[in-house]
Structure formats: C-alpha cells, structure tokens
C-alpha cells in the first residue's frame, strides 16, 4: 500500500524510502501520460507554491512554475533580492510567516543548512531545488529517465566523471538507494563528501550494489550503462573556473573516453552544459544523449513530488 507523503519535505533523496522513490516514479509516469493525452490533472487546485531563488535557474524555475500551473495551483517567484530573508529577517521567522500564506516552498540557495532550517521552522513542505550540497529533484528526474529508457534501475552501472559536487552527492544517494552501481571519477582535491560516500556505501551494501570513488575516468567508464557529467565550476565557483579547468581537462566526455562504455550507454548531464569543457558537442548531441529528456522529466517528476507532499 502507498504510504502518504503529505506534509513531508524533500531535502535529500537519502530521506526517502525506496517505496517513496517508486511512488514518485509511478505518479510521474501517470502525470506524464495525462500531460500528453491532455487529460486534466488539477491535483493542487487553489494551492500556492513559493519559489525562492538566490541562484539563477532555467530548468528548475520554469519546470516548477509550469508544473504548479498544470496542477491547478499558482507559483510565486522570489528572486535573490525580493524577500527580507538574509537581510533583515532570519530563516526561522521567514519560515513561520511563509507557512501562514503558502502551501509549499521550493528553494534554490547556497547553504544546505538554510534549507534544512526552513523546513524545520516552517509547517509546510519544503522542496530542495538545489543547494551547494545536493540536487535531489534533478537526480529523481534522472533516475526516472533511466527507468524509461532502460526499463530497470537495479544492476545498471552509472559512471559520473567530474567534480564531486551537489550532482555527484545526489547521484550517490539516488543510485545507491535503487541498487545501481555507481563509480565517481574525480581529480584529487575534488572528490565527493566522505560522509555522503560512506552513507551510499551502506545503502549499496544493503542493495547488493557497489559504490566506488576513483581518479581514473577511463576505468570508471568501462562497461558503463550511463555516463554522467556536470560543470567543472558550479554556481558560486565562477572565480575558480580557470584553475579548475587545469585539473579537470582529462575528465572531458569525448568520443575517445566513451569507447569503453557499453554501445547503448546513455549520456546524461543535468545542464547547463559548458560545451567544450566537460563535454563535447559530438557526445551531447549524439544518439546516446538523453539530456533533453532529463530536462523534460524535471517537469513530470516535480509535479509528482508537489502533488504527493503538498
Ligand atoms: N539542471 C538544473 O537544475 O538547471 P537549472 O540550473 O537551469 O535550474
Ligand atoms: N553543479 C551545478 C549544477 C547545476 C544544475 C551547480 O551547482 O551549478
């Protein structure tokens, strides 16, 4: 029987049970079908989602705004300078006040702790739209995309090549939770957070899968079902971009590197891509690439998340 997720915040994939993950995927599939057949699915009639952004966004911004609209609700956008938050008002008071007006909050910001605090002090569900630490909505959409393409998750191998950043962390959470093997190849000094890796290794031991952190991208890609990458310098790290490029140059996804992957491997990237850096056009625009399916599935999966928690 499906467990109710109503009122629950979505801060990290690691907080979800495997049943909840598949409940999100089941509803995503239903809502995607309804979207394509034009069948109304106004599950959040009259509800309001507040969307707080202290960093830029194309996909997250548009997919949440359109998603809440499809569900019969309204989205309110707050940019970096719109709220008193961070200037003259603290997180706790902001959370309590917004909880009196809104039915849910989606937030993209720098500090993960701020998002945890928003959920802690508020009384409405908070959805993490990316922090410096995690990007759970992206990885749920990515796993849903893999499930659509491969019909299965457990037993597949995902190779993530690049920075041990928010994407690497949520992929570690997500892939280990569903029993996929995950190999992260990062240059020294840019490896993922140790606690998150240990946690993923525990999940993997339970699921009978593997989590490895290595430095060799060629070894990582060998026999991979999915080759994933992300930018070398994330939002907020722009000043480090040149220095980082020197460390990451061997980690570019190009035709030579993917030779070791399975023939029917999927190329994935959360986007935005810095073409010519972490990936070349020949790969991003190849038949193996599913980058725009991932972007589309943000819409369907986040609609499911909103409908379940709000
Ligand atoms: N992938 C992703 O979150 O994209 P945006 O930064 O455009 O929202
Ligand atoms: N790691 C990237 C992901 C963007 C969706 C960033 O944080 O900028």
């Amino acid at each position: 029987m499906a467990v109710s997720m109503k009122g629950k915040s979505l801060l990290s994939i690691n907080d979800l049970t495997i049943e909840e993950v598949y409940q999100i995927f089941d509803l995503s599939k239903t809502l995607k079908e309804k979207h394509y057949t034009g069948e109304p699915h106004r599950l959040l009639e009259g509800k309001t989602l507040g969307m707080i952004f202290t960093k830029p966004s194309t996909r997250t911004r548009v997919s949440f705004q359109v998603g809440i609209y499809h569900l019969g609700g309204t989205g309110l956008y707050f940019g970096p300078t719109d709220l008193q938050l961070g200037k003259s008002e603290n997180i706790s008071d902001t959370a309590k006040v917004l909880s009196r007006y809104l039915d849910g909050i989606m937030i993209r910001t720098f500090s993960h702790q701020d998002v945890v605090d928003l959920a802690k002090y508020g009384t409405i569900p908070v959805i993490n739209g990316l922090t410096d630490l995690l990007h759970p909505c992206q990885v749920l959409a990515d796993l849903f995309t893999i499930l659509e393409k491969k019909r299965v998750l457990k037993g597949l191998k995902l190779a993530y090549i690049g920075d041990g950043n928010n994407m690497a962390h949520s992929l570690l959470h997500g892939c280990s939770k569903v029993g996929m093997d995950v190999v992260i190849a990062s240059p020294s000094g840019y490896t993922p957070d140790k606690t998150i890796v240990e946690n993923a290794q525990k999940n993997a031991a339970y699921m009978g899968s593997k989590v490895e952190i290595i430095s060799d991208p060629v070894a990582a890609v060998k026999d991979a079902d999915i080759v994933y990458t992300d930018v070398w310098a994330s939002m907020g790290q722009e000043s480090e971009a040149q220095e980082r490029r020197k460390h990451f140059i061997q980690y570019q996804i190009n035709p030579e590197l993917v030779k070791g992957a399975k023939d029917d491997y999927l190329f994935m990237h959360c986007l935005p891509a810095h073409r010519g850096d972490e990936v070349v056009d020949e790969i991003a625009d190849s038949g193996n690439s599913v980058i725009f399916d991932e972007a589309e599935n943000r819409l369907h999966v986040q609609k499911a998340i909103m409908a379940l928690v709000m």
Side-chain angles (χ1 to χ4, degrees), residues 140-278:
L140 287 167
D142 293 337
L143 293 175
F144 180 71
T145 307
I146 299 168
L147 192 56
E148 281 185 326
K149 304 284 175 194
K150 299 282 183 196
R151 302 278 149 208
V152 63
L153 293 173
K154 195 168 172 6
L156 296 178
K157 173 181 171 179
L158 182 142
Y160 173 94
I161 312 298
D163 189 20
N165 60 13
N166 44 11
M167 279 308 308
H169 293 157
S170 282
L171 284 166
L172 281 165
H173 281 156
C175 295
S176 63
K177 186 135 289 199
V178 299
M180 284 167 67
D181 290 340
V182 49
V183 185
I184 308 265
S186 306
S188 146
Y190 298 95
T191 52
D193 178 87
K194 257 199 165 140
T195 313
I196 292 181
V197 172
E198 282 165 15
N199 198 285
Q201 279 165 339
K202 268 188 214 148
N203 288 345
Y206 179 76
M207 292 301 287
S209 59
K210 272 191 308 212
V211 169
E212 284 178 282
I213 312 299
I214 61 175
S215 58
D216 179 1
V218 177
V221 161
K222 188 157 172 27
D223 296 326
D225 297 283
I226 297 113
V227 177
Y228 205 117
T229 192
D230 184 18
V231 291
W232 293 337
S234 285
M235 289 180 273
Q237 299 171 333
E238 290 78 4
S239 64
E240 298 171 29
Q242 256 188 322
E243 175 63 24
R244 283 173 168 261
R245 193 171 283 123
K246 290 186 216 152
H247 298 272
F248 282 97
I249 201 73
Q250 299 306 322
Y251 292 77
Q252 183 186 68
I253 311 296
N254 54 40
E256 184 58 32
L257 183 64
V258 298
K259 270 187 189 153
K262 290 194 178 147
D263 289 342
D264 62 350
Y265 84 93
L266 303 178
F267 171 69
M268 301 185 86
H269 191 310
C270 56
L271 304 179
H274 295 166
R275 288 166 177 254
D277 278 352
E278 76 272 7

Side-chain angles (χ1 to χ4, degrees), residues 56-60 108 135 138 235 270-272 298:
S57 168
T58 298
R59 281 141 290 269
T60 307
R108 160 169 295 192
H135 198 1
Q138 178 69 50
M235 289 180 273
C270 56
L271 304 179
R298 294 289 302 278

Side-chain angles (χ1 to χ4, degrees), residues 45-58:
E45 189 82 56
K47 305 259 183 194
T48 308
L49 175 78
M51 305 185 299
I52 304 173
F53 285 89
T54 68
K55 291 181 178 181
S57 168
T58 298

